[in-house]
Amino acid sequence: MSTATLSAANDARQGEAAGSLQLVSFRLAQEEYGIEITKVQEIILMGEITRIPQTPPYIKGLINLRSAVIPIFDLRLRFNLPEEPATDETRIMVVNVGGKTLGIIVDAVNEVLRITKNNICPPPLTVEALGQEYLTGLVRLENKLLILLNIDKILSAPEAAIAAG
Amino acid sequence: MTAQNTNERLDLDDILADFLDEASQILDRFNENMLKLDSLVRAGVREIELDFLNEMFRGMHSLKGLSAMFGFDDINLLTHKLENILDAARQRKLIVDQPVVEVLFAGADRLLAMVKRLTQGGAEIDFTELQSQMQAILTRTASPAATLPEVPMTVETVLPPIAVSPKAAVVDPLAGVVDDPNVPAKYLTMFFDEAQGTLDTITEILLNSEQSNTLESTATLLLHAHRLKGSAASLGLNRVAKVAHRAEDLLERLKSAGRTIVSGHTELMYQFTDVVREYVDGLKAGHATTDGFGSMVIALNAAIEQFTNPQPKAATPTLINDPAAKASPVEIDCAALLATTMSLAPVGMPCVVGIATMQPGLPLVGLKARLLYDKLTLLGSVFHFEPPVEQLDDLDNIPFILFGCMTDKSAEQVAGPLTITGVVSIQTEAVAAWERAAAAETVAEQPPVVSPLATPTPLAPTVENPTAPAERQTAKEAPAADKQTEPAAKVTETLRVDVERLDQLMNLAGQLVINGACLNRVEHGLRTLVSNNASGRAALAPCDRMRRFFDNLQTLDDASAREQFEQLRGEARHLQNELERVENMVKQLIKVRGTVNDLSEAVHQLERVSDGLQKSVMNMRMVPVGPLFNRFRRVVRDITRMTSKDIQLTIHGESTELDKRMIDELSDPLIHMVRNSADHGIESPEARLAAGKPAQGTITLDAFHRGNSIVIQVKDDGKGLDPQKIKNKAIEKGIIAPSDAERMTPHQAMQLIWAPGFSTAEKVTEISGRGMGMDIVRSKIEQLNGTVELQSELGVGTTISIKLPLTLAILPSLLAEVSGEVFALPIESVVEIVDLRQYNQPTVQGLRTACVRGRVISIVNLDELFQWSRESSYGRTTHDSTTVVIVSADHNQVLGIAVDHLIGESDIVIKSLDENFRNVEGIAGASILGDGRVSLILDPNALASMATHSNHLRRQSGAKACLT
């Protein structure tokens, strides 16, 4: 009896812990994306970026983030979307991926929101543009759909491929 | 529970770091001592100084204790074995000979490997074979009788068996000597001052004695030692008093013998002051430690002993069958010998000691000696008789007999019956009251180890406590005392800091410098904006004029145009108000100028502070190069042993400081160079003698500052490099074409040794030529932003100079702009900067080149060499850019890099691209410019190979195009 109650309580707690997720949502070419907030270190304004040779186009270059030199990835180019000049809303999201700190350029950062995991549904089968492995899923919100990105995969996979190649 | 575990783990990590630190220190010291021991053994010294063996023993013992604490069983076991061997050695049960030294060396090596393994992982270190070797050595000691006859002439066998006295087995020379626990505090303070003053004086005298060593100084030293003893004893600080007493004894002996102190004694006295100082300091702090005293007393006793028997070969062997002694009567230092004997006298007993000089060459001297012994036993109880009674019958020549006897009789009464035929003279002395007191102490103090026959004793209590600070202190300060510098009066406090934290601090300091520069730029901009004084004033002048004009306008009155005037006047008033505002603004601007001046002052202050900060942080990473150099003593020794060459390693500039990381990185290349010098450079003694050189070759390691860099030199006086041989070899290996070889100067030919796959050794020996070629050495050095230079003269020797930047963190570089991007070039690699218009610029197969001083240099354009994924926002380089920076690259290559314009020289902080990204070909790293922008650091070597490669590709694709 007591065991059952305990496990039930545990389930609830786990459900609560596991069921909710905090995301930072951002805009990229009219679509809204979300990244887990734990991956995001900070959001900074666009500054001057020093380009680096011998790198794929989506690597914009390097910036100085408080004396650390970090690479900047352009997510638009990464997703084969047309490049756009930076606007007032363009931001760099500084994320921590695999022990490294890097920045990704997004069109705009929207908000921080909390979702429940129940709201996540698997990505549709035909998401050609992105490549499914980068998507954790889609988040149904009241009036819109949020694309949940697996930032580790997006940034590390091609880099690993380059290193290997 | 888990939390606690983590805590423990953390603590453990911390302690482990401590262990590693401690262990490597101990092992370093041990290795150093091993080298000394080795040279002693090879010099034929059979009786290794006790103090020295003790120190080695202590080192192993400390490590044993530490390893047991951490559960490092392998280290524990091995140190235990080593300890056993050393223990046997210091108890004179084991003669330290070459095999023993080898085993000890092997043991030290294994230990080092084991300690290394703790940090770097790897297979377990197997030492079973070594263990059995050690066992063999130890078994040899178990039956000393079996070994000793093999070496009849060894000093061990004839060492005066002073310690036969039963009391000699007392291990701690200070056992039973206790400080009075109730010393009034006010007297203690007085003692502190007194002791400190006395110690300072002693130190000073010792320092002075290095220049002018007089009898007087010995006398003064004696006086001070005596004073120290007196003041300590009067307070009941008996242990200090004892130590001081022994020092006094030593000095007394020196003085009475009319000798000045020699370096060995100076050394000892330094140690003595250190130990006492340590004690006094400790006492002041409330936790006096006397752990160093035991060994100090042993050392002093040994010195006294040594002094008494200064040259065992000259004096002691006369006790045995020494033909030389028959011919010439040996001078005997009766007083000293008597004093020694006296010190053996039992406590509280009336004693007489004496020395009987025997007639040289007396037949049946052994019988006479026995007769003397028998007579003595009748007089009282003999506590000392030398030579030992058991040996008397075997001795053919006994120059003198030393004896001590517990008896109520006076000295004369003892001397009387002993005067028998064959005894030339006899000298006896009663142990007087004060001497008896001294003797009482010395009995306790007598180390057990002076006798080979002494019963094996367990570890001395002084070494039982391996972590005792005093112990470690003495061990650490010994090298300092070696140099006879500050005798450790100054105890500098140190703090172990994680290198990562230091790097962090370094980073921040670097950033601060950059921010300072940034602020400086802003200030400069502001200043130029407001500095135009004239323009500010000039702006005020029209304001004035306008105002006057309006005033005139006000006074104008013409009825006909009144209405228009009113209108104009209104307009003018309005304008006037506006103008006033402008005027105020200009005035404010002028005030701002003053503020800007204040700002620039503040900025300059900030820059100075941040520069200072950066420098001191950098200094924190600097460590002397000495320990690194000293490691090579061992390397050279090993080679010497393996090759039968006689090589001496001279070390200079040990105190030159280098970045810690650099020291770590330099170890391998330097070992390689030293090995090369020893193996290929230095000839065999015969060849050297034939060449008119001393048989002993010399390898010199030197470190010194030159400008903004540090130079490390490996120099040998060997056979030098043979350019012709090198050329042949290079041709053979396909490194150069025979036609090239003919055109090469000797100097150029020598540089070929840096080429990959080159090895000058005719045959690959065990020592060098293990695959790490000179090219690897060079690239290693270049990784450290250093350069390496080789100079050699056939038959005279070779010098390799490594030039390194002061630190790894800062790279002096040349900043240049290419296509609007700023690039940094390591200044070390910049050969020259040229304006191409002055030179002939032929194209070779469509590639841009320039003839600069007779050398054809390929010019590369970074825009073309690099593959840029996006256009620079500043446009491409104009192809006719005429400024070219010529850089040197690997293999004596040079490369011209076209730049749009030069910015200047700057010290930049290197940031690794790999840290947050990955390495990029041609780029050595990034740095942050004064304006906060990131600039890329070019890697000349990579650029050169990229250029070669890309031309290759171009040619290939061109060929393909032709085919199709």
Side-chain angles (χ1 to χ4, degrees):
Chain A
M1 177 60 204
S2 63
T3 336
T5 329
L6 263 178
S7 72
N10 271 346
D11 280 352
R13 212 175 306 137
Q14 268 171 14
E16 199 190 317
S20 101
L21 206 59
Q22 264 194 304
L23 299 177
V24 181
S25 77
F26 61 88
R27 186 164 52 79
L28 198 69
Q30 277 78 51
E31 286 172 337
E32 266 208 66
Y33 292 83
I35 302 184
E36 259 184 85
I37 200 164
T38 49
K39 304 276 183 203
V40 181
Q41 179 185 317
E42 60 190 293
I43 292 157
I44 54 172
L45 292 173
M46 280 287 279
E48 201 170 333
I49 301 173
T50 304
R51 56 187 189 137
I52 2 172
Q54 277 89 254
T55 48
Y58 62 83
I59 290 168
K60 279 289 203 182
L62 303 167
I63 64 158
N64 162 23
L65 179 75
R66 289 188 306 276
S67 100
V69 173
I70 64 167
I72 303 300
F73 289 60
D74 192 332
L75 267 199
R76 272 177 167 273
L77 295 175
R78 179 73 194 85
F79 293 158
N80 296 322
L81 297 167
E83 193 177 2
E84 294 254 329
T87 66
D88 285 355
E89 291 198 299
T90 309
R91 294 287 182 279
I92 293 174
M93 288 175 85
V94 179
V95 294
N96 292 313
V97 177
K100 298 193 170 185
T101 306
L102 43 91
I104 54 173
I105 301 177
V106 298
D107 286 354
V109 174
N110 294 342
E111 56 182 331
V112 175
L113 41 89
R114 186 182 285 274
I115 55 150
T116 53
K117 283 213 168 156
N118 298 337
N119 284 351
I120 304 174
C121 56
L125 288 170
T126 52
V127 190
E128 291 285 331
L130 291 173
Q132 268 202 15
E133 68 267 36
Y134 304 147
L135 294 184
T136 311
L138 298 174
V139 184
R140 280 170 284 134
L141 294 175
E142 277 165 30
N143 48 1
K144 56 187 171 186
L145 211 58
L146 206 66
I147 306 163
L148 200 53
L149 278 180
N150 186 349
I151 196 79
D152 299 62
K153 279 240 172 95
I154 290 175
L155 300 173
S156 58
E159 279 308 298
I162 286 166
Chain B
M1 183 59 208
T2 351
Q4 200 187 339
N5 269 346
T6 350
N7 274 343
E8 271 170 20
R9 163 66 50 81
L10 279 176
D11 284 352
L12 256 180
D13 278 354
D14 229 33
I15 304 169
L16 182 64
D18 271 333
F19 170 78
L20 292 172
D21 222 39
E22 192 76 15
S24 50
Q25 240 170 45
I26 292 174
L27 286 176
D28 272 359
R29 183 87 190 115
F30 188 73
N31 240 321
E32 242 169 69
N33 284 337
M34 277 307 302
L35 290 170
K36 209 158 124 193
L37 183 69
D38 181 46
S39 60
L40 285 174
V41 167
R42 271 193 288 163
V45 178
R46 311 236 40 147
E47 188 188 355
I48 309 299
E49 226 177 285
L50 203 59
D51 198 23
F52 182 67
L53 285 173
N54 269 333
E55 195 197 322
M56 296 187 68
F57 173 82
R58 271 204 307 275
M60 281 305 105
H61 186 72
S62 301
L63 195 55
K64 187 184 85 171
L66 282 171
S67 58
M69 213 164 76
F70 283 88
F72 299 138
D73 293 338
D74 49 351
I75 299 181
N76 187 256
L77 187 62
L78 187 50
T79 40
H80 186 72
K81 293 274 175 208
L82 287 168
E83 191 192 47
N84 283 348
I85 293 178
L86 287 166
D87 193 38
R90 67 180 194 150
Q91 291 184 30
R92 302 288 188 243
K93 291 197 295 175
L94 170 72
I95 295 150
V96 183
D97 50 12
Q98 208 55 52
V100 175
V101 170
E102 287 310 321
V103 164
L104 288 175
F105 261 128
D109 282 351
R110 298 288 200 292
L111 278 178
L112 213 58
M114 283 172 184
V115 172
K116 222 179 206 171
R117 198 180 136 244
L118 290 177
T119 49
Q120 296 168 359
E124 260 189 52
I125 315 294
D126 178 59
F127 59 100
T128 37
E129 195 189 331
L130 181 67
Q131 223 175 325
S132 52
Q133 283 173 7
M134 288 173 153
Q135 207 50 54
I137 284 177
L138 284 171
T139 11
R140 205 169 71 174
T141 61
S143 52
T147 352
L148 293 184
E150 292 170 19
V151 273
M153 280 302 288
T154 53
V155 175
E156 278 88 340
T157 49
V158 296
L159 196 79
I162 302 169
V164 170
S165 149
K167 299 243 171 173
V170 178
V171 175
D172 184 353
L174 288 177
V177 182
V178 209
D179 284 356
D180 189 343
N182 305 314
V183 180
K186 61 174 182 176
Y187 293 127
L188 260 187
T189 340
M190 278 167 63
F191 171 69
F192 290 152
D193 293 343
E194 167 101 16
Q196 220 112 45
T198 312
L199 288 172
D200 286 347
T201 322
I202 293 178
T203 312
E204 203 184 308
I205 298 168
L206 288 174
L207 285 172
N208 286 341
S209 73
E210 282 167 41
Q211 272 94 49
S212 61
N213 196 351
T214 58
L215 261 181
E216 225 166 286
S217 61
T218 315
T220 332
L221 277 177
L222 175 66
L223 188 78
H224 281 99
H226 182 74
R227 184 180 291 166
L228 190 64
K229 181 192 80 174
S231 60
S234 67
L235 279 181
L237 300 172
N238 297 327
R239 292 176 78 92
V240 193
K242 293 281 132 82
V243 178
H245 191 122
R246 295 314 289 159
E248 194 192 351
D249 278 357
L250 174 65
L251 291 163
E252 171 76 52
R253 263 154 232 218
L254 286 168
K255 189 185 157 225
S256 58
R259 301 242 194 115
T260 57
I261 51 171
V262 293
S263 68
H265 295 134
T266 317
E267 186 74 49
L268 208 56
M269 288 308 290
Y270 275 133
Q271 278 170 16
F272 163 67
T273 56
D274 290 352
V275 169
V276 176
R277 212 183 283 271
E278 171 101 22
Y279 171 78
V280 172
D281 287 346
L283 199 61
K284 227 189 254 182
H287 45 78
T289 161
T290 56
D291 302 80
F293 284 2
S295 50
M296 194 63 230
V297 168
I298 292 174
L300 284 167
N301 276 342
I304 295 168
E305 168 68 24
Q306 203 186 9
F307 180 71
T308 317
N309 272 327
Q311 274 149 339
K313 284 219 166 112
T316 343
T318 52
L319 288 175
I320 56 155
N321 200 354
D322 187 347
K326 279 179 193 160
S328 60
V330 186
E331 272 185 38
I332 302 159
D333 190 345
C334 294
L337 284 172
L338 278 180
T340 318
T341 321
M342 222 180 270
S343 67
L344 295 169
V347 198
M349 291 292 193
C351 296
V352 170
V353 295
I355 185 160
T357 316
M358 307 302 282
Q359 192 183 324
L362 185 74
L364 295 176
V365 70
L367 280 177
K368 294 272 176 197
R370 191 167 279 281
L371 185 64
L372 279 178
Y373 181 73
D374 291 340
K375 285 192 182 254
L376 268 175
T377 46
L378 289 176
L379 289 165
S381 139
V382 181
F383 63 85
H384 182 69
F385 196 85
E386 187 185 331
V389 187
E390 309 79 52
Q391 292 175 17
L392 290 178
D393 295 341
D394 304 322
L395 297 175
D396 293 335
N397 179 36
I398 300 172
F400 62 89
I401 290 164
L402 204 55
F403 58 86
C405 177
M406 272 188 283
T407 174
D408 295 325
K409 298 186 166 58
S410 72
E412 288 77 17
Q413 280 173 314
V414 175
L418 295 180
T419 321
I420 51 172
T421 42
V423 175
V424 180
S425 72
I426 192 150
Q427 190 183 349
T428 52
E429 210 174 321
V431 182
W434 70 269
E435 285 163 336
R436 210 159 47 220
E441 291 156 16
T442 32
V443 166
E445 285 160 18
Q446 204 59 49
V449 275
V450 280
S451 164
L453 305 169
T455 42
T457 45
L459 313 169
T462 42
V463 290
E464 209 74 88
N465 182 2
T467 46
E471 287 289 338
R472 283 197 259 165
Q473 203 59 33
T474 3
K476 278 178 199 166
E477 273 164 13
D482 273 342
K483 290 179 211 149
Q484 308 228 332
T485 50
E486 270 232 303
K490 184 178 133 212
V491 180
T492 37
E493 271 196 66
T494 54
L495 178 68
R496 262 173 10 91
V497 181
D498 197 328
V499 177
E500 232 165 78
R501 288 194 190 179
L502 219 53
D503 284 345
Q504 242 168 26
L505 194 58
M506 183 79 202
N507 247 334
L508 288 175
Q511 179 66 13
L512 190 62
V513 169
I514 288 167
N515 285 352
C518 201
L519 209 54
N520 195 16
R521 223 169 31 87
V522 172
E523 177 265 327
H524 191 74
L526 257 182
R527 182 186 275 270
T528 39
L529 274 180
V530 297
S531 71
N532 205 337
N533 205 359
S535 73
R537 290 274 148 75
L540 289 177
C543 291
D544 273 345
R545 262 227 326 265
M546 284 292 267
R547 197 180 293 120
R548 271 200 304 279
F549 167 69
F550 293 139
D551 288 347
N552 290 341
L553 207 63
Q554 292 283 355
T555 53
L556 266 183
D557 200 4
D558 191 325
S560 63
R562 180 171 289 260
E563 209 171 301
Q564 284 101 318
F565 266 131
E566 275 307 315
Q567 221 178 348
L568 262 177
R569 219 170 274 164
E571 194 73 12
R573 221 172 287 132
H574 191 68
L575 260 174
Q576 203 172 1
N577 286 342
E578 296 269 304
L579 212 62
E580 254 163 42
R581 229 177 296 153
V582 171
E583 196 182 20
N584 281 340
M585 276 163 72
V586 172
K587 277 181 183 157
Q588 246 169 16
L589 204 64
I590 290 170
K591 263 189 224 156
V592 166
R593 269 193 63 243
T595 324
V596 168
N597 277 343
D598 290 347
L599 175 71
S600 23
E601 183 55 34
V603 168
H604 286 151
Q605 290 287 355
L606 177 73
E607 280 198 317
R608 224 168 299 154
V609 172
S610 55
D611 278 355
L613 181 66
Q614 195 181 28
K615 277 207 187 85
S616 21
V617 174
M618 237 141 64
N619 275 345
M620 283 204 268
R621 307 169 51 109
M622 302 299 256
V623 289
V625 79
L628 172 71
F629 276 7
N630 280 322
R631 246 179 269 167
F632 297 115
R633 290 196 190 281
R634 174 68 193 281
V635 174
V636 170
R637 174 205 168 261
D638 285 353
I639 295 170
T640 315
R641 313 222 6 103
M642 259 187 266
T643 57
S644 80
K645 288 179 186 175
D646 190 3
I647 305 172
Q648 171 200 354
L649 181 73
T650 326
I651 290 175
H652 297 298
E654 300 106 309
S655 56
T656 310
E657 289 188 332
L658 259 176
D659 195 299
K660 171 86 171 67
R661 242 176 71 211
M662 226 158 355
I663 296 251
D664 296 344
E665 298 285 324
L666 270 177
S667 177
D668 281 353
L670 274 182
I671 284 191
H672 189 75
M673 287 180 192
V674 171
R675 273 193 188 142
N676 258 343
S677 279
D679 197 29
H680 308 318
I682 306 278
E683 316 91 324
S684 62
E686 301 80 45
R688 288 186 63 89
L689 286 173
K693 295 191 209 177
Q696 189 180 48
T698 306
I699 296 176
T700 311
L701 276 174
D702 198 357
F704 51 88
H705 285 261
R706 188 179 282 163
N708 229 352
S709 40
I710 285 167
V711 180
I712 293 178
Q713 271 184 347
V714 181
K715 200 189 295 182
D716 68 63
D717 63 350
K719 59 180 176 239
L721 293 176
D722 184 344
Q724 198 48 51
K725 252 189 182 170
I726 292 173
K727 279 187 202 171
N728 295 344
K729 183 96 177 187
I731 294 167
E732 183 191 315
K733 296 240 167 187
I735 295 164
I736 51 164
S739 53
D740 292 338
E742 275 168 36
R743 269 180 278 124
M744 276 184 158
T745 63
H747 184 74
Q748 277 173 331
M750 280 172 197
Q751 308 308 319
L752 285 171
I753 66 155
W754 302 113
F758 191 92
S759 165
T760 46
E762 301 278 279
K763 58 176 197 278
V764 171
T765 69
E766 199 183 332
I767 301 151
S768 48
R770 267 186 243 175
M772 186 186 181
M774 291 302 267
D775 58 320
I776 304 200
V777 169
R778 188 182 198 158
S779 68
K780 268 251 179 190
I781 306 285
E782 273 163 2
Q783 271 168 26
L784 301 174
N785 297 316
T787 55
V788 58
E789 237 173 68
L790 175 116
Q791 269 181 332
S792 182
E793 203 173 322
L794 193 57
V796 176
T798 308
T799 304
I800 299 178
S801 307
I802 303 171
K803 204 166 152 199
L804 290 164
L806 283 180
T807 167
L808 280 177
I810 299 271
L811 181 72
S813 15
L814 179 73
L815 298 182
E817 206 173 291
V818 184
S819 310
E821 308 271 0
V822 177
F823 288 95
L825 270 163
I827 210 103
E828 203 49 64
S829 61
V830 174
V831 178
E832 65 173 316
I833 300 161
V834 294
D835 185 346
L836 278 193
R837 278 170 296 190
Q838 297 174 20
Y839 302 99
N840 208 358
Q841 300 177 51
T843 54
V844 177
Q845 291 188 322
L847 297 173
R848 219 171 142 205
T849 61
C851 291
V852 179
R853 280 178 253 294
R855 199 163 176 185
V856 182
I857 291 161
S858 24
I859 310 286
V860 297
N861 194 313
L862 288 186
D863 261 349
E864 288 165 3
L865 192 62
F866 285 154
Q867 289 147 25
W868 298 104
S869 59
R870 72 189 166 101
E871 288 287 299
S872 155
S873 39
Y874 308 91
R876 295 178 75 90
T877 319
T878 40
H879 273 253
D880 50 352
S881 65
T882 54
T883 312
V884 164
V885 179
I886 299 178
V887 294
S888 62
D890 274 346
H891 319 314
N892 256 0
Q893 288 176 318
V894 286
L895 188 71
I897 299 171
V899 299
D900 290 346
H901 69 263
L902 296 166
I903 296 170
E905 231 185 287
S906 175
D907 285 348
I908 58 170
V909 179
I910 307 166
K911 308 268 174 190
S912 143
L913 284 189
D914 192 38
E915 196 181 325
N916 284 312
F917 188 43
R918 59 178 162 84
N919 290 321
V920 175
E921 195 186 7
I923 307 292
S927 81
I928 297 162
L929 296 176
D931 60 3
R933 267 166 66 188
V934 175
S935 82
L936 297 176
I937 304 167
L938 296 174
D939 178 350
N941 290 337
L943 287 182
S945 64
M946 278 171 81
T948 327
H949 194 63
S950 73
N951 286 342
H952 226 68
L953 283 181
R954 195 182 309 177
R955 216 169 293 160
Q956 275 176 353
S957 61
K960 267 184 205 154
C962 285
L963 282 173
T964 52

